[in-house]
Amino acid sequence: MKKLFYNDRLIYLLIILNVIVIYLHSFELLNAFYFLFDLIDVGFTLFFCIEITVKIIFTPGKNKFKSFMQSIWNRIDFFSIILAIPSIGVLFIADLEIFAGFAALRSLRIFKLLRVIEYIPEGKRISIQLFKALKSISFIIFAFFIYTTIVSLISLTLFKHAAPMYFQNAFESFFTIFKVFSGEGFSGIIDVIETKESVLFSSFSKFYFVAIVFSGSILGISLINSIFMDQMNQAAKKSEIEEISQFDSLRKELDDIKHQQQEILDLLKRKQVD
């Protein structure tokens, strides 16, 4: 059983087959096979649950679960499967909306495929650098999220009546501002405001959204990208320094061993002479 669930090729093959099943489930033409697709998907969910359980059991250490969760990849595997478990309910109560929502979460197990990166040349180093960089910029991403929320609430107050299709509520406003940060929808919002509001308010809106684009896109997203790349480079340099340090330490140990061997040989020669 251990060999079965530690067979990475088999696991990746099953994930790909699961993706194909979820893909086929999206076609109305195959409506007659929906129950079969759900049944197969539940089978995949149960298999991956057993896989996670077996790997936790065979994890070395006293606290097996804690040791298992120390790996970022294991955490991704664990939560992607746990969130998909309630989707089993679609076999019994297909019309219940909450199960339909959890059924969508079963697609999260596709994230397990990202682990393939470790099998490409320098893949493990790249994945370590990636996770370190993401951890380093997590606070900046959180701050950018808060900033986007504040701007979206201000924009909701200013433009709810001028452009209700973009600022109908707080969620729609947040989505609109995020699109503006990414460089989309800016001109469309201005066009709607110009048709409903005065020239003065329209002019104010143009300056407002220019400032939003500048602060969010140029300063915000660009800053996150630059810091992320800088952290990736720093992680790479740190890894290289650690490897060089380990190599130097190993070379020093080898030199010590050679020195000890030479001393032993000299001692043996002296004894033979005596």
Side-chain angles (χ1 to χ4, degrees):
M1 180 180 289
K2 183 178 178 181
K3 291 183 178 180
L4 175 66
F5 292 106
Y6 276 87
N7 188 333
D8 289 333
R9 291 185 178 180
L10 175 62
I11 298 299
Y12 293 140
L13 175 61
L14 292 177
I15 295 172
I16 292 172
L17 292 175
N18 197 184
V19 172
I20 294 173
V21 170
I22 295 173
Y23 185 82
L24 294 175
H25 200 294
S26 65
F27 291 93
E28 292 290 340
L29 183 64
L30 301 175
N31 183 56
F33 301 97
Y34 277 3
F35 181 77
L36 176 62
F37 292 151
D38 285 332
L39 192 63
I40 294 173
D41 189 82
V42 167
F44 283 125
T45 300
L46 294 175
F47 178 87
F48 291 127
C49 285
I50 298 173
E51 176 213 355
I52 292 295
T53 303
V54 169
K55 288 184 176 180
I56 291 174
I57 291 173
F58 285 100
T59 298
K62 293 183 179 180
N63 192 332
K64 296 182 179 295
F65 180 75
K66 185 177 180 180
S67 299
F68 177 82
M69 295 296 283
Q70 285 180 351
S71 169
I72 296 178
W73 289 115
N74 287 343
R75 291 201 292 269
I76 292 175
D77 290 348
F78 179 79
F79 288 111
S80 64
I81 298 305
I82 291 298
L83 290 173
I85 290 177
S87 66
I88 297 174
V90 298
L91 291 179
F92 310 101
I93 314 177
D95 295 330
L96 201 59
E97 291 184 2
I98 187 171
F99 285 132
F102 280 114
L105 292 176
R106 60 193 174 190
S107 301
L108 290 174
R109 69 173 65 111
I110 298 171
F111 280 109
K112 289 167 68 70
L113 282 174
L114 292 175
R115 200 162 189 166
V116 174
I117 192 175
E118 292 195 345
Y119 296 92
I120 65 176
E122 299 294 326
K124 288 188 176 181
R125 178 185 293 182
I126 293 172
S127 62
I128 292 172
Q129 293 171 3
L130 177 63
F131 287 127
K132 285 183 178 179
L134 288 173
K135 186 177 180 179
S136 300
I137 66 171
S138 57
F139 176 76
I140 299 174
I141 294 175
F142 178 74
F144 183 72
F145 177 83
I146 296 298
Y147 175 70
T148 306
T149 302
I150 294 172
V151 173
S152 66
L153 293 176
I154 294 173
S155 301
L156 175 65
T157 304
L158 292 172
F159 306 109
K160 184 174 183 179
H161 299 291
M165 61 184 298
Y166 294 103
F167 301 96
Q168 184 177 2
N169 50 53
F171 178 78
E172 292 294 335
S173 180
F174 183 91
F175 182 68
T176 298
I177 294 301
F178 187 81
K179 286 199 301 181
V180 171
F181 284 164
S182 63
E184 297 181 7
F186 170 69
S187 58
I189 298 172
I190 296 299
D191 291 340
V192 172
I193 293 174
E194 285 181 333
T195 58
K196 292 187 176 182
E197 300 296 332
S198 64
V199 176
L200 182 61
F201 188 80
S202 299
S203 300
F204 162 76
S205 302
K206 292 177 182 178
F207 283 108
Y208 177 83
F209 283 106
V210 166
I212 293 300
V213 172
F214 182 80
S215 63
S217 179
I218 299 177
L219 296 181
I221 297 177
S222 298
L223 180 63
I224 291 174
N225 289 335
S226 61
I227 294 176
F228 177 78
M229 294 305 299
D230 180 66
Q231 290 296 325
M232 285 285 288
N233 292 330
Q234 287 186 17
K237 291 179 181 178
K238 187 176 181 181
S239 298
E240 290 176 0
I241 293 172
E242 289 176 351
E243 289 181 358
I244 293 172
S245 177
Q246 291 175 358
F247 179 77
D248 290 340
S249 177
L250 180 61
R251 186 172 58 183
K252 184 178 179 181
E253 290 178 3
L254 290 173
D255 290 338
D256 291 339
I257 292 172
K258 287 180 180 179
H259 182 69
Q260 291 174 3
Q261 287 177 340
Q262 188 62 44
E263 289 181 347
I264 293 171
L265 288 173
D266 293 340
L267 180 62
L268 290 173
K269 286 180 180 179
R270 286 196 297 270
K271 284 186 177 182
Q272 287 177 355
V273 171
D274 293 340

